Each structure stands twice: as C-alpha cells, then as structure tokens.
Amino acid sequence: MNHTHSKTAFAKAQQLIPGGVNSPARAFGGVGGSPIFIARGEGAYLIDVDSNRYLDYCGSWGPLILGHAHPRVVAAVTEAMARGATFGAPTEIETQLAELITQLMPSIEMVRMVSSGTEAAMSAIRLARGYTGRDVIIKFAGCYHGHVDALLVSAGSSATTLGVPTSPGVPKGCTQDTLVLRYNDVAGLEEAFKTKGDTIAGVILEPVVGNMGLVTPTKEFLAALRTLTYNAGSLLIYDEVMTGFRLALGGAQQIQNMKPDVTVLGKIVGGGLPVGAYGGRADIMRKIMPAGPVFQAGTLSGNPLAMAAGLATLEELRDRSPYEHMEKLAQQLEIGLTDAAKQANIPHRFQRVGSMWTLFFNPDAVTDYDTAKKSDAAKFGRFFWAMMDRSIYLPCSQFEAAFIMAVHTEEHVKQTIAAAKEALAGI
Ligand code: HOZ
C-alpha cells in the first residue's frame, strides 16, 4: 500500500506540531511506523491522502457511532453554522440536548456542557470535592480520564501506550490527594474506605474500561463501589466518555443497573464535534456556579454547532436504535477473530461488551492494569500493520478499545475476519 503523501504530510507536520500530531494517541507510537493522514470519511470508511480506503474500527476513538459524515448530523451542523457559530450567550438547543440526556440517562437530573471529556472529568472531580468538602479522589490504574493533572497517574490510553506513569509537569501537589487502586480489587477498595473513608470526595472509574483495552468490572466490584461510596458520603463518578450512548442508550449504567451520583460524558454526546458534559443528581449539580459556589466556565461551552451535532446523533440513536444490529455484528466478529487466532496458534483473549472490543495478545484474562500490561504489544503492532495492509483500520494500540459502528454490515465483518485470518497467520 502506498503511503507517500501521508509520509510527506507527517514530515511537514513534525516541523510545526509537536510529534506531528495534536494528540499522542494517533501518532502510531504503539505500533511503529508513521500515521496515515486522513482526507475524508464516508460511512464505515476512511480515505487517506494517498486515496487508500480503509474499513474503520476506530471511529475517531468512539464518537462516530453513526459512521462518518452521517447525513442527519451533517444537515444539523450545516444549518446551525448558517445561523452563526457561537454567541457566548444561551441558546435553546443547549436545553434541548440537556433534556434528551436526562431522559436517556435517568441518574442525570441536571447537566453542564463543556468542550471535551478531559474538561468534563476535571470539572466532575472539582464538583465532588466542592460538594463533599473533602480532597481525596480514588482512581483506578489503567483508567484514563483525559489529561487532568490530578488524574494523570497510572493512566491508560496513550499514557500507557507511551509508558508515562505520571507526566513531567504534573506537580506532586496535584496528585497527593489522588489514591490509585487496582481495578476489580474489592479488598483494596474496602481497605481504602476503612482507613480514609471520611476524606474521600469521590471515586472515578470507567464502568467498562476502554483505555487499557476492553476490561469489564466484576459484579462484586460494582456492588462494593456503590455501597462503600454511599456509606461514606463520597460520590461515585462514572466516566462514560466512551461507554455513554454506546453500550446502550443509557450507557454502561443502564446495562449494569447502577445509579452513579455524577456521570462524565464526551465523544458520542458531541456527535464528532468537541463536546464533553457532566451531570448527576440535582442537589449536587446545583453546587455549580452560578447556581452554587463551585466555579467552572467556558466561552465555547454549549456551542451551537457542537450541540446540533450531539442532538442529531442522540436523536438518531433514539429513533433508530442500532444496538441490536451492532451486538449481532460484534458477536460474529468475536467468533471469527477468536477462531482465526486459535487457528494461527496465537495466545489471545477477545474481550468485548456490546460494540466495544479488544483482541488482547495475552493468554490470560485481562482484569486490570497489571494483566493488561502483560499483553504482547509488539505482536499487536505486527497485527495492526498486517490489517492495514488488508485495508482494515484499527485503533493503533493494544491498550485501546475498537468500535463497531451502526454503519458496519455483515459483509464488513466477513471481510474483517478474512483479513484477520491472513494477518494472524503471518505474524
Ligand atoms: N481518549 C481516546 C481514546 N483513548 C484517545 C484519543 C486521543 O488521546 O487522541
């Protein structure tokens, strides 16, 4: 496959943009080689600047559940743009999107829009601290909540791919109140609450982890999270940036039958435009300025274009529910890729919830950060490029989830399985 234009574009970008990219996850650091530069997207396909066409399982890392350039989203954004890009004053569409979010996720009684998942997570922990008057936040190793100083410790996603335990530039003071525990470790959680319960403002987690590859919580872990936070007066914060509106209309909390106090949203809620949001119980959310004392602000928060993209996306998901379709395809993919890996004699674990999945090059179940890190990332890199050679675009790291989109078809899945058979046999 010819990548000449991508290579030239990357060389130029590296002179002007650190590392040639505006976010490290896309630099192909976990798989080697240089990133392809994208010219456009069409439904389930990405087309690069060398006119190569790929079947896409990254979907811009999750937001594009409806596929690229979905007509309803394009129309909504085009109309909004014609009315004006931003006013820095309230618009009715912000309330419309807020209303739909509260209908789809009943634990969210009020919601505040921001411009990224990072901003939403940062604001949610400030709110937890402001609401409880306590400082300590518990996070879990391998979960990623954006590049918030206080949460950039043992973080997943590109921090894991690139081996960054804690970034330079994050002062010790910013993380001294962050307690990092092991995902799925009930005893560790109980111990933390026993010794420090009255200092814990909140516990933040990905309720199904996408950022160390796909990792699921145990029932016991979820039950302990809810009970311990409730009893200690701490807030349970669900980071549903990846899972929100994806695992079900009501997110991971719907399929887990959980009621977090605060939920962090991003990706799908913006339909591909830069949006984050955080919401929860009304008594908690009323602590946010100007209703309450916890400060948080943003010129482009609730931006009309972004709201239009998010609203059109959520309405489409509500009206045409693609979840069964995606589940069926995901099951077929799981069976096909698992068989292909077995035939090639490759130690593996295929882990999946709904349309989120990871093929771990790991003989054991991946339940936390330590087991995730035992995966053979070099082998994943070879698999990634072998799939690229067969026109399949996967997230470029072993430590990320891949996504089925509503526009994928059975034919796409068959093509992917056939490609994987060849790819796995050759690595
Ligand atoms: N949050 C995305 C999935 N882990 C990564 C996107 C990025 O860092 O560019």
Side-chain angles (χ1 to χ4, degrees):
M1 203 170 268
N2 178 16
H3 291 143
T4 313
H5 283 91
S6 276
K7 285 191 175 131
T8 309
F10 190 46
K12 174 93 193 263
Q14 282 174 300
Q15 290 164 18
L16 298 163
I17 300 171
V21 289
N22 283 309
S23 187
R26 64 186 74 157
F28 282 24
V31 292
S34 65
I36 54 163
F37 275 54
I38 308 302
R40 62 182 199 282
E42 284 172 12
Y45 291 93
L46 277 177
I47 295 99
D48 72 14
V49 290
D50 291 286
S51 301
N52 300 306
R53 206 175 158 83
Y54 306 87
L55 185 54
D56 184 14
Y57 285 97
C58 181
S60 189
W61 304 96
L64 298 184
I65 190 166
L66 299 176
H68 295 275
H70 188 279
R72 187 166 179 173
V73 180
V74 171
V77 173
T78 309
E79 281 165 29
M81 185 66 206
R83 286 192 294 271
T86 175
F87 310 111
T91 53
E92 288 180 309
I93 194 168
E94 294 161 71
T95 314
Q96 285 170 35
L97 182 55
E99 187 171 36
L100 185 52
I101 292 170
T102 59
Q103 286 164 357
L104 300 181
M105 283 193 183
S107 75
I108 300 182
E109 294 168 353
M110 297 182 91
V111 58
R112 172 57 72 81
M113 308 295 176
V114 292
S115 297
S116 70
T118 291
E119 206 184 337
M122 175 187 81
S123 308
I125 62 166
R126 182 181 301 153
L127 173 61
R129 287 167 162 164
Y131 177 81
T132 59
R134 303 171 180 177
D135 289 340
V136 175
I137 296 287
I138 291 180
K139 84 169 284 280
F140 297 96
C143 285
Y144 177 72
H145 308 287
H147 61 95
V148 181
D149 278 350
L151 301 174
L152 204 53
V153 196
S154 298
S157 191
S158 45
T160 298
T161 306
L162 304 173
V164 180
T166 307
S167 171
V170 174
K172 281 196 190 72
C174 283
T175 53
Q176 72 189 12
D177 291 313
T178 307
L179 193 55
V180 184
L181 300 182
R182 206 150 57 86
Y183 201 79
N184 276 327
D185 179 7
V186 174
L189 195 60
E190 283 171 346
E191 180 61 22
F193 272 93
K194 200 161 117 198
T195 52
K196 297 194 173 67
D198 59 354
T199 66
I200 298 170
V203 180
I204 186 166
L205 79 154
E206 295 181 75
V208 169
V209 190
N211 283 297
M212 49 179 150
L214 193 289
V215 174
T216 52
T218 62
K219 282 209 177 75
E220 297 71 29
F221 184 57
L222 292 178
L225 280 163
R226 188 57 286 183
T227 310
L228 291 168
T229 48
Y230 182 81
N231 289 344
S234 314
L235 301 189
L236 178 59
I237 306 169
Y238 257 37
D239 181 339
E240 294 232 38
V241 168
M242 271 197 195
T243 53
F245 315 107
R246 171 168 286 283
L247 299 187
L249 259 180
Q253 54 196 269
Q254 179 182 322
I255 61 171
Q256 294 170 350
N257 200 17
M258 288 282 281
K259 197 169 179 216
D261 302 300
V262 175
T263 298
V264 175
L265 296 169
K267 302 202 191 274
I268 291 175
V269 76
L273 267 71
V275 182
Y278 62 111
R281 268 181 19 222
D283 65 308
I284 301 170
M285 294 303 290
R286 285 209 178 90
K287 294 285 180 212
I288 299 166
M289 199 163 269
V294 177
F295 190 81
Q296 180 266 306
T299 299
L300 292 171
S301 295
N303 171 266
L305 261 65
M307 296 295 100
L311 187 62
T313 300
L314 296 196
E315 284 176 341
E316 180 72 8
L317 291 171
R318 179 198 58 195
D319 298 345
R320 297 192 207 281
S321 185
Y323 299 99
E324 260 182 46
H325 168 70
M326 293 193 300
E327 172 65 28
K328 196 170 138 204
L329 295 188
Q331 279 176 19
Q332 291 169 357
L333 193 69
E334 175 168 1
I335 293 168
L337 293 195
T338 306
D339 279 354
K342 271 188 204 146
Q343 273 172 34
N345 234 344
I346 291 181
H348 67 281
R349 293 296 289 213
F350 190 96
Q351 298 196 181
R352 174 180 82 82
V353 178
S355 58
M356 284 172 70
W357 58 275
T358 299
L359 178 63
F360 283 105
F361 290 88
N362 191 325
D364 302 315
V366 177
T367 56
D368 58 23
Y369 196 38
D370 291 333
T371 45
K373 282 193 296 187
K374 286 186 185 142
S375 307
D376 188 341
K379 194 171 272 174
F380 174 85
R382 294 198 292 280
F383 174 63
F384 171 86
W385 278 110
M387 292 299 272
M388 285 286 275
D389 288 343
R390 291 163 179 81
S391 303
I392 310 284
Y393 187 84
L394 300 170
C396 52
S397 166
Q398 171 75 105
F399 307 107
E400 298 280 3
F403 303 98
I404 304 265
M405 306 194 275
V407 282
H408 283 133
T409 63
E410 291 199 12
E411 207 35 58
H412 290 144
V413 170
K414 279 187 195 144
Q415 182 193 335
T416 308
I417 294 168
K421 272 188 185 145
E422 287 181 13
L424 290 165
I427 59 170

